[in-house]
Amino acid sequence: MPQRQPNVSLAALLAENHWTAGQLARAVNAMATAHGMRLMYDRTTIAHWLTGTRPRPPVPELVAAAFSRHGGRSITAADTGLIDRVDVAAAVERSSPNITHRLIDLCRADIDPTRHVELIRAIYTTDDRDASAWDSRIGPAHEDSPSGSGRFGATPTDAQTLREMADVFAELAERNGGILVRCALAAFLAEGADRFLNLPASEAVRREMLTGTAQLTHLLASMTADSDHPGLAQRYFGTALELAREAGDRRMFAITLRTMSVQALRLGHRPRALGLAEAALAVPDLTHDPSIQSFLLGQRALASAAVHRPAAARADLALAEDRHEHADGLPGVFRAYSTAGFQYQRALAFDAMDEGGNARASLRAAVRERDPRRRRALALTQARLAASLARVGEVEAACSHWHLYLDAYPHLRSVEIQRALARLLRTMRRMPRVPEVLALQERAESLAHG
């Protein structure tokens, strides 16, 4: 019989909450009473737990609830050490061979408060789980309508609804930040994807439905990354990739790979970022679309610059600019590459090559072209331009752009926006103590602590 191990997790929670064993016992008894149960635990019970004894369910959940209430933060039963920790993300990935079913399971776990806490602990990995190579042999299985139905259930209008919802959620995220919007999108997919994708449909309509769902899942992945949950975001990106592959949508597949490259670069995985950018450009039959080519080339240019390949980066930037000049995509998320977005991407690449002058010129162009409704993108552009101006001593101009960034800050719940504020405050400490800087620092600190 294996020897029991001391429960260090429970001991740590007791110390964190400044509780004695007797206080925890009384709190658990009270929680049980509130749930219609009668427990008579005392300090000796807790002492047994600390040595490795485990109570039967639902006691671990009651212990977690007691700690959550007292400490003011969410504690799961696994956090108490009274049950084994379950890898929720891995369990969902094994739940079904059907990608739409796995998406629904993942979203339902995400909006479940107990499983969500475990889910966001998923670790970002650098293995080949994203299956980044396009395989044209993969596509949706044809599903006939149920016997006696007389017609297919899903219609092109349903597919259009999914595309419109993608536009709505993308706009909400740009206006409010990913943290605020992601839960609503996860809830929509948990129920909406189940309802839409389980309707019988012709193959053409089903492909459109899968593309619409891939777009929404891609947006959820981006919002999750913007909420500082990189491992969970990676799983959503992988799901979006599979949905696009099953839909036979090469464009959406390449867009998702490109955004996965962006995530890898932000996390410091530079060679992986370049590999994903190259995989996006290797997706076949996209050379006829100048908008997507410009979008993909711009990211490969940035990834190349990040791994110190300036010649390759400049070649890609030149080709991206040529492709962008010939682009005529319809407006809307996943349909067009804006001039502001293109100029911002150029600025990132120039920054990575230490070409500050070119970066500032591109950032100024991006600020001019930004749609003011894209509050998050505009704020990040203002902050980056301000930082670049500060580096060359243009204090007054830098402060002006930082104030414009701070105008947007209270409206945005976004990790990238929060990090930009932290960078601003660090930069302030190195700048001259002139009135403009002092006023900006006071405002920034007020927002940081507000």
Side-chain angles (χ1 to χ4, degrees):
M1 184 174 180
Q3 186 177 4
R4 290 197 298 264
Q5 298 296 316
N7 190 334
V8 294
S9 298
L10 185 61
L13 286 171
L14 282 169
E16 177 188 324
N17 286 271
H18 304 288
W19 263 354
T20 64
Q23 286 173 313
L24 174 58
R26 289 190 290 274
V28 174
N29 291 340
M31 192 64 64
T33 300
H35 286 79
M37 293 176 278
R38 179 177 172 80
L39 295 177
M40 299 291 289
Y41 290 150
D42 59 22
R43 62 182 179 82
T44 59
T45 307
I46 310 305
H48 287 305
W49 293 350
L50 288 168
T51 63
T53 299
R54 289 181 167 184
R56 294 179 179 178
V59 175
E61 285 74 16
L62 294 174
V63 175
F67 278 124
S68 298
R69 175 180 289 181
H70 184 262
R73 69 181 182 92
S74 183
I75 301 296
T76 69
D79 291 331
T80 70
L82 296 173
I83 65 170
D84 291 330
R85 190 173 296 282
V86 176
D87 187 338
V88 177
V92 168
E93 287 173 354
R94 295 190 300 265
S95 65
S96 171
N98 184 303
I99 183 56
T100 59
H101 293 170
R102 293 203 304 275
L103 169 64
I104 293 163
D105 288 345
L106 186 59
C107 290
R108 286 178 177 170
D110 198 357
I111 62 177
D112 179 330
T114 301
R115 291 192 290 166
H116 169 79
V117 175
E118 298 293 334
L119 201 57
I120 61 176
R121 292 186 173 126
I123 302 299
Y124 181 91
T125 65
T126 55
D127 60 20
D128 294 326
R129 73 194 310 144
D130 46 79
S132 57
W134 174 263
D135 187 345
S136 60
R137 295 170 299 173
I138 300 174
H142 182 79
E143 296 188 9
D144 294 322
S145 58
S147 59
S149 67
R151 63 182 178 85
F152 292 117
T155 68
T157 302
D158 295 318
Q160 177 65 25
T161 297
L162 289 177
R163 288 194 296 272
E164 290 174 355
M165 291 303 294
D167 288 337
V168 168
F169 278 110
E171 182 177 351
L172 286 171
E174 276 296 326
R175 290 189 61 80
N176 302 287
I179 294 175
L180 197 63
V181 180
R182 70 170 299 281
C183 291
L185 178 49
F188 173 78
L189 280 170
E191 300 306 321
D194 190 17
R195 182 165 56 87
F196 279 113
L197 295 178
N198 283 326
L199 290 172
S202 68
E203 183 171 337
V205 169
R206 179 161 174 75
R207 284 181 183 271
E208 288 187 51
M209 301 282 280
L210 286 166
T211 289
T213 307
Q215 291 177 352
L216 287 164
T217 306
H218 179 114
L219 289 172
L220 180 54
S222 296
M223 294 176 196
T224 303
D226 198 30
S227 303
D228 206 19
H229 306 317
L232 178 56
Q234 183 183 37
R235 282 150 180 80
Y236 278 126
F237 278 128
T239 303
L241 207 60
E242 286 191 60
L243 287 164
R245 183 190 283 114
E246 190 168 331
D249 192 328
R250 291 175 171 83
R251 196 175 197 274
M252 192 64 218
F253 190 85
I255 288 171
T256 301
L257 285 172
R258 192 261 197 196
T259 312
M260 293 170 73
S261 172
V262 172
Q263 184 195 22
L265 197 55
R266 285 177 180 163
L267 294 172
H269 300 291
R270 296 180 180 184
R272 176 176 174 79
L274 180 57
L276 288 165
E278 289 175 337
L281 277 161
V283 176
D285 300 330
L286 292 178
T287 55
H288 67 283
D289 186 337
S291 178
I292 190 67
Q293 284 289 300
S294 176
F295 188 61
L296 302 180
L297 285 162
Q299 179 58 23
R300 190 171 69 177
L302 174 56
S304 294
V307 296
H308 309 295
R309 297 181 184 175
R314 291 189 186 95
D316 276 345
L317 284 177
L319 189 53
E321 184 171 12
D322 176 75
R323 295 290 80 202
H324 188 72
E325 288 174 354
H326 291 87
D328 57 356
L330 297 172
V333 65
F334 302 113
R335 291 191 288 277
Y337 188 28
S338 70
T339 298
F342 171 67
Q343 291 291 351
Y344 186 78
Q345 188 71 15
R346 287 188 50 176
L348 296 180
F350 285 133
D351 253 346
M353 293 185 288
D354 293 323
E355 296 184 18
N358 287 332
R360 284 186 290 279
S362 292
L363 287 168
R364 287 190 174 99
V367 166
R368 288 194 302 270
E369 295 289 340
R370 281 289 187 207
D371 183 339
R373 292 172 298 181
R374 294 179 60 82
R375 184 187 285 149
R376 179 182 175 277
L378 180 55
L380 289 173
T381 308
Q382 296 283 13
R384 185 169 285 274
L385 176 56
S388 184
L389 290 165
R391 284 196 292 271
V392 294
E394 295 188 34
V395 174
E396 186 175 346
C399 289
S400 175
H401 285 286
W402 262 320
H403 275 296
L404 291 170
Y405 154 75
L406 291 177
D407 288 345
Y409 182 88
H411 303 281
L412 292 162
R413 296 285 306 281
S414 156
V415 165
E416 286 300 309
I417 291 292
Q418 292 165 3
R419 287 172 179 161
L421 181 60
R423 288 192 294 270
L424 186 164
L425 289 169
R426 287 196 298 271
T427 303
M428 289 293 96
R429 300 186 188 104
R430 303 191 297 268
M431 292 181 70
R433 312 309 288 167
V434 296
E436 296 93 334
V437 171
L438 294 174
L440 177 66
Q441 184 173 0
E442 181 180 1
R443 185 185 180 196
E445 288 176 344
S446 175
L447 287 169
H449 300 129

